[in-house]
Amino acid sequence: MGNSLKAIVAFVPSDKCQKYLLEDLEEMPVDKMVDLSGRQLRRLPLHVCSFRELVKLYLSDNNLNHLPPELEQLQNLQILALDFNNFKALPLVVCTLKQLCILYLGNNKLCSLPLELRLLQNLKTLWIESNCLQCLPEVVCELSLLKTLHAGSNALRTLPAQLRCLQELRTIWLSGNLLSEFPPVLLDMPFLEVIDVDCNSIRFFPSLAHLPGLKLVIYDHNPCRNAPKVAKGVRRVGRWSEETPEPRKRSGAVIEITLNEKPSPPPAAKPEPE
């Protein structure tokens, strides 16, 4: 049996094969959750769409590149995980699930997001890391309740000015992009608590001391020549992070001081909606 058999079963879309993949799941689970992660699925078993009270659906780490229109029946869905699949475009049926609070789209092949995403006005967490985005889709700026945005490991060079409209946003992860300067729009977002711009191409950091909500800024692995100034009590992770406000110089050489401990990236365990 094992993964090789699962791959064969997933490729042959017969009813018996789908039953194997669902492991005889025929009734609505008591916990209102279905986890089909890592099953080598090439299509979503339609039987899942009959569980109309379903709240959580995990489809991570499969071979999906489309979703059936019947998914629209899951109007109580709050968490949908589509990360680690083969989506080149977000299926529009996802945008009909208006109770979604958390949406995982990381590690796909997305180059854009549809305008229909604005219909998900209950969305609080959006993960779009490790895709093919060259700019942050402006439709993201219309998700008024968004609190967490993970857009790391793309090819972002700038952020749209409209991002400042997201006044509920508290955490933004931008590591592993192509930012050559610290995004100016973030300077106008006093409510941000965590800013991660690790592994970019930023050469100079402006002062962040005026951001009253800031608790953590991660700026390591940038070719910067200064550390961002921050208010008292704000944790910095990067070169000279233990120095205030600028790095010490001795005999014309800059002494680089780096924390041994670096905060972990966003947790692998998927959070629950608030």
Side-chain angles (χ1 to χ4, degrees):
M1 307 279 272
N3 289 336
S4 58
L5 180 56
K6 284 185 178 181
I8 296 173
V9 168
F11 187 77
V12 182
S14 69
D15 291 339
K16 290 184 178 179
C17 288
Q18 294 301 312
K19 187 175 182 180
Y20 166 77
L21 289 167
L22 282 171
E23 296 180 347
D24 296 324
L25 180 63
E26 296 180 355
E27 297 181 358
M28 173 71 189
V30 176
D31 59 3
K32 299 183 179 181
M33 178 185 77
V34 169
D35 187 351
L36 294 175
S37 300
R39 306 296 182 90
Q40 305 295 320
L41 292 173
R42 293 179 180 272
R43 68 180 180 90
L44 175 66
L46 290 180
H47 189 57
V48 174
C49 299
S50 67
F51 300 151
R52 301 197 177 196
E53 299 302 314
L54 201 65
V55 173
K56 307 170 190 177
L57 178 57
Y58 296 95
L59 300 172
S60 307
D61 192 20
N62 282 294
N63 295 309
L64 300 171
N65 57 28
H66 69 281
L67 294 173
E70 288 83 357
L71 189 72
E72 186 177 5
Q73 299 175 40
L74 303 183
Q75 285 301 310
N76 291 296
L77 208 61
Q78 296 181 30
I79 300 177
L80 177 60
L82 299 174
D83 46 332
F84 293 94
N85 276 285
N86 293 316
F87 291 104
K88 293 182 179 180
L90 179 65
L92 292 182
V93 66
V94 172
C95 301
T96 68
L97 306 175
K98 297 183 180 180
Q99 297 304 314
L100 277 183
C101 298
I102 301 177
L103 178 58
Y104 296 98
L105 300 174
N107 290 273
N108 280 285
K109 301 173 183 178
L110 301 174
C111 294
S112 63
L113 294 174
L115 292 177
E116 288 81 358
L117 189 73
R118 63 165 62 107
L119 299 175
L120 302 182
Q121 284 300 308
N122 286 307
L123 207 61
K124 295 181 179 179
T125 298
L126 177 62
W127 287 37
I128 50 176
E129 80 286 1
S130 299
N131 276 286
C132 305
L133 299 170
Q134 296 186 10
C135 59
L136 185 68
E138 292 186 4
V139 67
V140 172
C141 304
E142 299 184 44
L143 303 174
S144 60
L145 296 183
L146 200 64
K147 289 188 174 183
T148 300
L149 175 60
H150 188 351
S153 300
N154 280 285
L156 305 182
R157 296 181 182 273
T158 61
L159 296 181
Q162 297 93 319
L163 194 68
R164 63 170 59 92
C165 297
L166 297 183
Q167 298 192 14
E168 296 297 319
L169 194 65
R170 296 295 179 266
T171 302
I172 185 165
W173 305 87
L174 299 166
S175 60
N177 277 288
L178 301 175
L179 300 172
S180 59
E181 66 172 346
F182 186 82
V185 66
L186 300 185
L187 300 175
D188 296 328
M189 301 177 70
F191 34 80
L192 283 175
E193 297 179 358
V194 177
I195 299 175
D196 178 9
V197 289
D198 185 37
C199 296
N200 277 278
S201 301
I202 301 173
R203 294 186 175 276
F204 175 80
F205 280 92
S207 174
L208 306 179
H210 66 289
L211 300 179
L214 194 61
K215 297 178 180 178
L216 170 66
V217 56
I218 305 173
Y219 65 96
D220 209 6
H221 303 101
N222 279 280
C224 56
R225 299 188 179 186
N226 73 311
K229 295 180 180 179
V230 294
K232 185 177 180 180
V234 177
R235 186 181 179 194
R236 299 182 298 181
V237 177
R239 295 198 295 175
W240 318 299
S241 58
E242 293 179 340
E243 297 288 328
T244 304
E246 296 293 339
R248 286 185 291 123
K249 292 185 178 181
R250 181 182 300 167
S251 302
V254 176
I255 300 176
E256 298 182 4
I257 301 178
T258 305
L259 288 181
N260 291 326
E261 178 188 1
K262 180 179 177 181
S264 300
K270 295 179 170 32
E272 302 293 326
E274 298 183 358

